[in-house]
Amino acid sequence: MAMANNKTQCFTCKKEKITYSCEGCSRRFCFIHLTEHQQILNEEFNHIINDYDQFKQTINEQKQNPQNHSLIRQINEWEINSIEKIQQKAKEYREIVMKSSPTFISDIEKKFIDLTEQIKQIQKENEFNEINLEYLRNQLIEITKELNNSTNISFKEDSQSFINEISIISSIRSKFNKWKQNAITVAGGNEKGEGLHHLFYPHGTFIDKDKNISIADCENHRIVEWKYNAKEGQIIAGGNDKGNRMNQLTGPTDVIFDQQTHSIIIADLGNRRVIQWLNRNQQTLIDNIHCHSLTMDKLGFLYVSDWKKNEVRRWKMGEYNEGVVVAGGNGRGNQFNQLNYPTFIFVDRDQSVYVSDQNNHRVMKWRKDAKEGRVVAGGNGQGANLNELFGPQGIIVDDLGQIYVTDCGNDRIIRWCEGDARGEIVVGGNGKGNQSNQLNNPSGLSFDDEGNLYVVDRLNHRIEKFEIIL
């Protein structure tokens, strides 16, 4: 009977030998090379242990001496540089004052000598009256003021700092912000309809400081306001059937409040116009524009996304000419200088424009005057993974630069930190539905002053409020 051949090829020497399998890499080695392989693994393991020990030492050093933190060193460097600038500026102006002072004092002294001579003359003649005394008294007061309060040189503080201001940007605080996963319906929620207690495919919203909600009630062709805790809304624009007259709207998609004029500004999508309503009086601000969403920056500039031209334009309030392209405007596409069906927009305090680039399944950030944007959320194709988006809509960026996105096709709200490879689910993401922890094709997104999160749950015809957990 022939002996069974149990020999196989060794991964290292490639010879047919009795071999043994490594459970980690599943490769087979002869006895000699298996020993070598295990020695290599032991060395790698020792390296890892050393790295862990070094990391532990680093933690202990930072605990014992927090002054060695890299940010502390940067702050110290900023302090030294700023002090040097201040000292240099102070030295420069001290020299200016010291050079100017002798001439100025000489002029004052000359005036004083002239007055002294007048006093001597009056005293010599021994002829003076109340008028002379009043004159001398006033002249002394004047030159005293002039000496104490120089009129030809003064101290002025500029409102703009000549040193670089610094601030600490931390993602720790907002990272811990959580919201209750079961929402409260604060508007609509009675199925679609035309009544004042109904909504019909709502889209964008605006929430004021009193938590009153203005809603672009798209298929009812109106803007309705739901007061805080109200059971039904009231019409504040439109509501006169679908149409293009000044008192009508057709499929409005967004609404904002202009603090300067105390009016509302509406993206009247179906009529291809941006229209302003002030106490039931209307005027068209911009026409012939496929407007989807609106926003205003802190300087009062108006921004509008045009889904057909695949661009965002900015207008100075009151000057509605062609506007200025601030994002896109290079045709439909997925390049960094292009957009494909832009929807909601957000502008931060630096006038950077964030755009929900719906059909590219990404959020783009365009810095002021930039020629192209960069992807700050999504951009990995349509999908439901945490590094993907599906038709993004509403967008808000908080003071710490964290981006909140309505991930419409995935029925969830995602929070994304710029530079991160993936986001995290804030609310929703429990499948499409109408339960209190579910959404159905959400669109608009808002926060109130307390940090509560409001979501336009479009296909459920309701506005959902997710309360912040303090």
Side-chain angles (χ1 to χ4, degrees), residues 266-397:
I266 304 163
D268 190 11
L269 177 65
N271 287 320
R272 294 190 297 114
R273 66 186 179 186
V274 175
I275 189 168
Q276 182 181 49
W277 282 58
L278 175 60
N279 297 327
R280 297 285 175 174
N281 296 315
Q282 309 88 29
Q283 66 168 327
T284 299
L285 303 182
I286 308 165
D287 57 12
N288 194 28
I289 181 171
H290 295 83
C291 49
H292 183 282
S293 184
L294 313 166
T295 193
M296 293 183 73
D297 66 19
K298 62 180 182 180
L299 300 177
F301 286 93
L302 176 66
Y303 298 73
V304 186
S305 61
D306 187 320
W307 66 266
K308 192 167 186 179
K309 289 185 177 179
N310 296 290
E311 66 183 21
V312 179
R313 284 183 181 260
R314 180 184 69 212
W315 282 266
K316 185 177 181 180
M317 292 297 289
E319 298 180 10
Y320 302 107
N321 41 34
E322 291 299 314
V324 177
V325 175
V326 293
N330 297 296
R332 178 177 297 176
N334 61 4
Q335 302 301 309
F336 290 143
N337 67 341
Q338 294 179 307
L339 299 169
N340 188 350
Y341 205 106
T343 57
F344 287 85
I345 51 180
F346 180 90
V347 179
D348 67 15
R349 56 191 173 192
D350 298 321
Q351 292 184 300
S352 294
V353 180
Y354 295 77
V355 187
S356 283
D357 191 10
Q358 177 178 291
N359 289 351
N360 283 324
H361 312 291
R362 66 188 185 184
V363 174
M364 300 291 289
K365 177 181 179 180
W366 291 63
R367 291 191 178 277
K368 186 180 179 182
D369 300 326
K371 300 302 181 184
E372 62 179 33
R374 69 170 184 267
V375 179
V376 292
N380 298 301
Q382 173 185 320
N385 294 320
L386 290 178
N387 68 336
E388 296 171 321
L389 296 171
F390 184 178
Q393 294 278 316
I395 177 172
I396 292 175
V397 183

Side-chain angles (χ1 to χ4, degrees), residues 105-115:
I105 293 175
S106 177
D107 292 340
I108 296 293
E109 189 176 27
K110 184 177 179 181
K111 292 179 182 180
F112 178 70
I113 291 172
D114 290 342
L115 279 174

Side-chain angles (χ1 to χ4, degrees), residues 74 95 194 211 254 281 286 340 366 375 439 453 463:
Q74 291 179 49
E95 290 175 355
E194 299 178 357
K211 299 186 181 64
D254 204 5
N281 296 315
I286 308 165
N340 188 350
W366 291 63
V375 179
L439 300 168
L453 176 62
I463 310 298

Side-chain angles (χ1 to χ4, degrees), residues 8 22 127 155 186 230 232 300 333 336 400 424:
T8 56
C22 172
E127 290 184 2
F155 182 82
V186 292
E232 63 179 31
F336 290 143
L400 299 179
E424 61 175 326

Side-chain angles (χ1 to χ4, degrees), residues 88-100:
Q88 180 63 36
K89 188 66 69 173
K91 179 182 177 183
E92 177 184 341
Y93 286 127
R94 273 195 295 264
E95 290 175 355
I96 292 174
V97 172
M98 290 175 70
K99 288 179 181 178
S100 302

Side-chain angles (χ1 to χ4, degrees), residues 49 101 104 113 168 173 239 254 343 362 369 469:
I49 291 175
S101 291
F104 169 68
I113 291 172
I168 298 296
R173 186 186 68 183
D254 204 5
T343 57
R362 66 188 185 184
D369 300 326
I469 300 173

Side-chain angles (χ1 to χ4, degrees), residues 116-308:
T116 303
E117 289 298 323
Q118 292 181 45
I119 292 173
K120 288 181 179 179
Q121 185 66 30
I122 291 173
Q123 191 176 25
K124 180 180 179 181
E125 295 176 356
N126 198 25
E127 290 184 2
F128 53 87
N129 53 36
E130 290 85 355
I131 296 175
N132 303 128
L133 296 178
E134 186 66 21
Y135 167 78
L136 293 173
R137 189 181 295 111
N138 288 336
Q139 287 301 306
L140 181 60
I141 291 172
E142 288 299 320
I143 63 172
T144 303
K145 286 181 179 179
E146 195 171 347
L147 179 63
N148 294 331
N149 302 296
S150 168
T151 56
N152 64 346
I153 186 168
S154 61
F155 182 82
K156 178 184 176 182
E157 288 190 79
D158 199 332
S159 60
Q160 294 183 345
S161 174
F162 66 91
I163 62 172
N164 293 326
E165 294 185 3
I166 62 170
S167 58
I168 298 296
I169 300 175
S170 170
S171 61
I172 296 175
R173 186 186 68 183
S174 274
K175 276 286 189 180
F176 290 110
N177 279 357
K178 301 290 182 183
W179 288 265
K180 294 180 181 178
Q181 296 301 295
N182 291 296
I184 302 169
T185 300
V186 292
N190 302 299
E191 299 185 347
K192 64 184 179 183
E194 299 178 357
L196 291 178
H197 63 295
H198 289 112
L199 297 172
F200 192 174
Y201 294 146
H203 212 75
T205 60
F206 178 86
I207 299 176
D208 66 20
K209 58 182 177 60
D210 297 318
K211 299 186 181 64
N212 302 318
I213 310 170
S214 297
I215 306 164
D217 193 7
C218 185
E219 290 303 311
N220 279 325
H221 314 294
R222 66 191 184 187
I223 307 297
V224 291
E225 182 185 56
W226 287 61
K227 297 289 187 182
Y228 181 61
N229 283 337
K231 300 301 181 184
E232 63 179 31
Q234 58 185 25
I235 299 171
I236 58 175
N240 299 304
D241 296 326
K242 175 181 178 180
N244 61 6
R245 297 197 308 269
M246 291 301 292
N247 68 339
Q248 293 179 307
L249 299 171
T250 299
T253 50
D254 204 5
V255 57
I256 59 174
F257 182 73
D258 180 9
Q259 298 282 357
Q260 293 182 345
T261 61
H262 299 285
S263 63
I264 59 172
I265 301 175
I266 304 163
D268 190 11
L269 177 65
N271 287 320
R272 294 190 297 114
R273 66 186 179 186
V274 175
I275 189 168
Q276 182 181 49
W277 282 58
L278 175 60
N279 297 327
R280 297 285 175 174
N281 296 315
Q282 309 88 29
Q283 66 168 327
T284 299
L285 303 182
I286 308 165
D287 57 12
N288 194 28
I289 181 171
H290 295 83
C291 49
H292 183 282
S293 184
L294 313 166
T295 193
M296 293 183 73
D297 66 19
K298 62 180 182 180
L299 300 177
F301 286 93
L302 176 66
Y303 298 73
V304 186
S305 61
D306 187 320
W307 66 266
K308 192 167 186 179

